[in-house]
């Protein structure tokens, strides 16, 4: 019985030594790795093995947020020669080439927001029978908030509620939004209960508006990397109903005034009839004077003058004959 136990113990020790001798262990950081936009970051990946054998290879893969590791995209590959398959347009390199000294770390330069995700360091050595030949690193690219956009939702009328909103399209970590009101010499204080803001969503609720709310409001988006801001102006006015009512009253007063002027005009015409002017009336049924041709008038005048001349000549002739006859008669009488 004793030899049997000794034999089993010896076999176990041998197998343990074999596992140690032919084991691959990959070590990567357990905590996320952070890097600022535009900077460089190292992705540490170390391994331990007894010996590098033929067929040894190193592979880096990338899984964007929401992508399963099995669908990760191959970036770098080494099997005696380095292949940059999709190395972020040359921005990803191995720190040690060839990576045969226990270091397979990679470096990414000029970090971009799209570089955030999981990077898988996968090492295969055919002589290693056990161990973990894979490590996963979570990379987060940090960036300051982009310039936010400020908006006003609602009508800025007396008594209304409006909401000011502020949002940055980019920023890691998530920005915190803070609204403040720019101070002026003539500023009227507003109760804090009428100004409610949410720093996570970036909203500011203004309740029960009055002229005291007039002014410029600034939203500032901040995170550990930087800050950005935007402003919006608030001008409180009276209700539209009052404006419409005033316009309607003005129109009615104008119509009443117009009706009064028209009524007075008709009354005046009725009580003060117009007296006709003598000699100035023109009869509607009177014949219009005919148009005479100047040449026709000239010919008519010439005929009239000729006729009068002939009449005078005939009258003179008759007078001469009568005088002659009378003279003859008197001569005869004297002779007798």
């Amino acid at each position: 019985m004793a030899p049997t136990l000794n034999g089993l113990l010896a076999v176990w020790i041998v197998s343990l030594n074999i596992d140690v001798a032919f084991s691959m262990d990959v070590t990567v950081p357990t905590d996320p790795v952070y890097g600022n936009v535009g900077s460089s970051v190292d992705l540490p990946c170390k391994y331990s093995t007894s010996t590098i054998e033929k067929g040894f290879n190193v592979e880096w893969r990338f899984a964007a947020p929401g992508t399963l590791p099995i669908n990760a995209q191959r970036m770098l590959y080494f099997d005696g020669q380095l292949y940059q398959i999709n190395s972020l347009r040359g921005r990803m390199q191995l720190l040690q080439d060839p990576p045969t000294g226990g270091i397979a770390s990679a470096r990414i330069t000029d970090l971009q927001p799209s570089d955030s995700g999981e990077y898988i360091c996968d090492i295969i050595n055919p002589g290693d029978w056990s161990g973990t030949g894979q490590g996963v690193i979570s990379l987060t690219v940090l960036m300051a908030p982009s310039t936010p956009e400020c908006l006003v939702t609602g009508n800025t009328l007396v008594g209304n509620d409006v909401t000011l909103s502020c949002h940055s399209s980019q920023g890691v970590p998530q920005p915190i939004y803070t609204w403040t009101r720019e101070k002026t010499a003539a500023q009227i204080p507003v109760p804090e209960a009428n100004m409610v803001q949410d720093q996570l969503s970036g909203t500011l609720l203004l309740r029960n508006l009055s002229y005291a709310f007039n002014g410029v409001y600034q939203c500032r988006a901040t995170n550990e990397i930087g800050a950005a801001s935007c402003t919006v102006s608030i001008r409180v006015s009276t209700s539209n109903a009052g404006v419409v009512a005033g316009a309607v009253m003005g129109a009615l007063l104008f119509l009443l005034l117009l009706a009064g002027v028209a009524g007075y005009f008709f009354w005046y015409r009725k009580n003060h009839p117009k007296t006709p002017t003598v000699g100035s009336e023109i009869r509607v049924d009177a014949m219009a004077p005919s148009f005479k041709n100047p040449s026709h008038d000239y010919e008519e005048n010439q005929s009239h003058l000729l006729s009068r001349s002939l009449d005078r000549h005939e009258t003179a002739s008759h007078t001469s004959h009568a005088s002659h006859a009378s003279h003859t008669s008197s001569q005869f009488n004297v002779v007798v």
Side-chain angles (χ1 to χ4, degrees):
M1 187 74 181
T4 304
L5 291 176
N6 291 333
L8 292 175
L9 180 60
V11 170
W12 180 78
I13 293 174
V14 170
S15 62
L16 181 62
N17 291 332
I18 292 176
D19 285 341
V20 172
F22 299 97
S23 175
M24 169 66 68
D25 291 318
V26 174
T27 304
V28 295
T30 56
D31 294 331
V33 175
Y34 297 96
N36 295 342
V37 169
S39 65
S40 300
V41 66
D42 291 344
L43 305 178
C45 179
K46 297 180 180 181
Y47 64 91
S48 61
T49 184
S50 58
T51 181
I52 299 297
E53 298 185 5
K54 185 178 181 179
F56 171 84
N57 63 73
V58 175
E59 183 178 73
W60 276 96
R61 300 194 303 274
F62 170 67
T67 303
L68 295 176
I70 194 174
N71 297 324
Q73 184 179 17
R74 181 181 287 184
M75 309 296 288
L76 297 175
Y77 181 75
F78 176 85
D79 63 352
Q81 183 177 353
L82 180 62
Y83 298 93
Q84 295 181 339
I85 300 172
N86 185 13
S87 58
L88 304 175
R89 298 181 179 180
R91 294 187 294 109
M92 187 174 184
Q93 299 284 345
L94 289 176
L95 292 181
Q96 182 176 325
D97 186 14
T100 55
I103 297 176
S105 302
R107 174 175 293 168
I108 301 177
T109 61
D110 190 21
L111 282 175
Q112 303 298 318
S114 58
D115 296 339
S116 294
E118 290 187 341
Y119 290 82
I120 302 169
C121 177
D122 198 354
I123 301 176
I124 297 176
N125 190 29
D128 294 326
W129 298 345
S130 64
T132 302
Q134 187 179 92
V136 179
I137 301 174
S138 178
L139 172 64
T140 300
V141 179
L142 305 177
M143 64 180 303
S146 60
T147 301
E149 181 181 12
C150 290
L151 298 174
V152 179
T153 303
N155 295 322
T156 56
L157 303 175
V158 172
N160 282 3
D161 296 346
V162 298
T163 300
L164 311 186
S165 60
C166 174
H167 178 71
S168 295
S169 59
Q170 294 180 324
V172 179
Q174 176 69 33
I176 297 298
Y177 302 97
T178 304
W179 281 95
T180 57
R181 184 185 179 194
E182 294 185 0
K183 295 182 179 180
T184 61
Q187 188 178 85
I188 303 175
V190 175
E192 293 185 1
N194 290 25
M195 303 175 65
V196 181
Q197 68 172 310
D198 186 337
Q199 291 188 319
L200 295 180
S201 65
T203 59
L204 174 64
L205 175 62
L206 303 181
R207 294 176 173 173
N208 192 21
L209 288 180
S210 65
Y211 294 112
F213 286 84
N214 287 341
V216 178
Y217 294 77
Q218 181 188 65
C219 172
R220 185 175 176 85
T222 59
N223 63 12
E224 291 86 343
I225 310 304
S229 63
C230 62
T231 59
V232 64
S233 296
I234 295 296
R235 293 291 180 269
V236 181
S237 59
T238 56
S239 173
N240 287 335
V243 174
V244 172
V248 171
M249 290 297 296
L252 290 177
L253 289 176
F254 175 76
L255 292 176
L256 289 175
L257 179 61
L258 188 62
V261 171
Y264 175 79
F265 176 76
F266 287 117
W267 173 85
Y268 185 84
R269 288 289 302 272
K270 182 177 179 180
N271 293 277
H272 299 80
K274 186 176 180 181
T275 304
T277 304
V278 178
S280 63
E281 280 192 353
I282 298 178
R283 292 180 56 190
V284 177
D285 57 348
M287 295 296 293
S290 60
F291 173 77
K292 294 183 179 181
N293 193 334
S295 61
H296 178 70
D297 292 344
Y298 175 76
E299 292 174 358
E300 186 177 351
N301 290 335
Q302 292 295 328
S303 298
H304 182 66
L305 291 174
L306 182 59
S307 176
R308 290 182 62 184
S309 177
L310 290 175
D311 290 341
R312 289 177 180 176
H313 180 68
E314 289 178 359
T315 303
S317 297
H318 288 302
T319 304
S320 176
H321 287 304
S323 175
H324 179 68
S326 175
H327 178 64
T328 303
S329 178
S330 65
Q331 286 183 353
F332 286 131
N333 290 334
V334 170
V335 172
V336 176

